[in-house]
Amino acid sequence: MDILEKLKILSDAAKYDVSCSSSGSDRKNTKDGLGIASSSGICHSWADDGRCISLLKILMTNYCIYDCVYCVNRSSNDLPRATFTPDEIVDLTMNFYKRNYIEGLFLSAAVFKSPNYTMELLLKVVQKLREEEKFNGYIHTKAIPGADKEIVDKVGKYVDRMSVNIELPTEEGLKLLAPHKNKESIFTPMKLIKTGIMQSTEERKIFRSSPKFVPAGQTTQLIVGATQDHDLKILRLSEGLYNSYNLKRVYYSAFIPVSNNPKLPVLKSPPLVRENRLYQADWLLRFYGFQAKELLDEEKPDFDLALDPKCDWALRNIQLFPVEINKADYDTLLRVPGIGVKSAMKIIQARRFTSIDFYDLKKLGIVLKRAQYFITCKGKYYGIKSMDSEIIRNQIVEKIPMEKNHHQLSLFDKVSLEDKYIQIGGQL
Ligand code: SF4
């Protein structure tokens, strides 16, 4: 099979993995090297079908010994298979980089022969790229569940980021849909990476030349909608991962039906709105000081698909509003729907000099579409003269038509500037 045919098969097979992003690394170029991971040229843009468009995103192989029923590469699936040799991937990466097609490599793999054997292949690629080709661009690889510590350690010294995909939020889900995997085989490499990062950070405080270990941190991916698990379960898991394993990101991937297996739910289309709500809630956990238990509970275990999670929380806690924009502290401002991290900082800075009114907020570029119902400015309320949560909800839902949220965000969508700002900037 020629290299182009392999590339077609193995880049297509990689598109279901959304756990790649190229930010967070500061690897510099060297005198005799090529590439730099820290420049602004490295970004994480996404094509409509989920592929990252700035990294060479491929699988080393799509031959898999496992048979996860939700996965297109499962061993029982009849599809064209291919495997790159390590040299082929190195050549592709170097040639694409030199032509300015890519800014780095996202290299994943199905489980070929065994977890350790697969990791050995990944090691050959990254070792050759760094040591022989002096490639200093961004590299993100997988840590294969079940692989030994030694091999994870070796790979971690060459790459910027690693990810171990959890895929399903519960042990029961794994037993049902991915019986060859278990929680332990997934969490063990995650723990190894966390320990390696901490050790390397400590060593580098003493010896600046100590090798970095996975300097851009680790990520994971969770599939949404392949099991009956509620959003609450997923969000609690993400919170635990951020707290216990210092994950950089949890990526959520709406389940795409790739099989008629009766163990899988029957879905008309991938649950993209739900995926979007989980991303928004994840943002609230990481940057807004929310806890999973504030956003959802056993009585309400799933997000309202018609409202973003912060609006939903505010309406369920309407007694806390409206807040006076000139008096509220930073943490309280952050809880106002529509006021994000940047907006809250702008307000705090601006009111050092003057007291702010509604029009000043507009001049500061603050999006008031949602915020108007939850704030006062100099004691004046600009909402609908009612603090009834149901009435406010109807106003907000009416202004955010559901169909806008029914597809994945694209660079080329005809979305209003205000909505783009909210979605891209995460200013919830
Ligand atoms: S181990 Fe990975 S590649 Fe193999 S079937 Fe499971 S999810 Fe797919």
Side-chain angles (χ1 to χ4, degrees), residues 161-230:
R161 174 164 284 181
M162 286 179 103
S163 50
V164 191
N165 282 357
I166 295 183
E167 311 281 23
L168 302 174
T170 58
E171 183 86 53
E172 299 79 58
L174 286 171
K175 270 194 196 133
L176 181 72
L177 302 181
H180 300 95
K181 297 180 184 170
N182 56 53
K183 260 171 115 176
E184 201 195 329
S185 69
I186 294 166
F187 285 112
T188 301
M190 231 178 222
K191 200 168 164 194
L192 289 174
I193 297 168
K194 177 197 163 190
T195 311
I197 294 172
M198 283 166 62
Q199 278 172 354
S200 149
T201 310
E202 286 308 308
E203 281 165 17
R204 284 178 57 80
K205 281 183 193 161
I206 304 166
F207 307 107
R208 287 293 301 151
S209 56
S210 295
K212 287 183 179 175
F213 184 89
V214 192
Q218 59 173 326
T219 60
T220 192
Q221 168 177 286
L222 280 167
I223 297 175
V224 178
T227 55
Q228 300 301 322
D229 297 304
H230 292 292

Side-chain angles (χ1 to χ4, degrees), residues 86 90 107 119-135 139 141 151 154-155 157-159:
V90 170
L107 182 59
M119 287 294 288
E120 291 287 351
L121 291 176
L122 298 180
L123 176 64
K124 280 185 186 155
V125 174
V126 295
Q127 196 166 25
K128 186 165 184 192
L129 276 171
R130 293 289 193 227
E131 290 188 349
E132 292 179 31
E133 303 292 342
K134 308 286 183 201
F135 179 72
I139 303 180
T141 57
I151 186 77
K154 282 183 191 163
V155 173
K157 292 208 167 82
Y158 291 108
V159 301

Side-chain angles (χ1 to χ4, degrees), residues 20-25 37 42-44 138 160-161 216-217 248-249 251:
C20 73
S21 130
S22 58
S23 61
S25 181
I42 295 184
C43 58
H44 35 95
Y138 181 87
D160 295 279
R161 174 164 284 181
K248 283 281 178 197
R249 281 296 296 272
Y251 291 91

Side-chain angles (χ1 to χ4, degrees), residues 64-68 70-75 109-111 167 178 181:
C64 195
I65 54 171
Y66 295 159
D67 200 36
C68 309
Y70 53 82
C71 177
V72 71
N73 299 316
R74 64 192 181 279
S75 57
V111 186
E167 311 281 23
K181 297 180 184 170

Side-chain angles (χ1 to χ4, degrees), residues 326-358:
N326 289 291
K327 290 191 184 143
D329 61 23
Y330 176 75
D331 291 338
T332 307
L333 287 175
L334 270 191
R335 296 209 160 210
V336 176
I339 295 186
V341 175
K342 283 185 199 155
S343 302
M345 285 195 294
K346 276 188 197 169
I347 292 169
I348 298 274
Q349 270 173 359
R351 73 187 192 192
R352 281 197 195 129
F353 308 102
T354 181
S355 104
I356 302 173
D357 64 22
F358 197 71

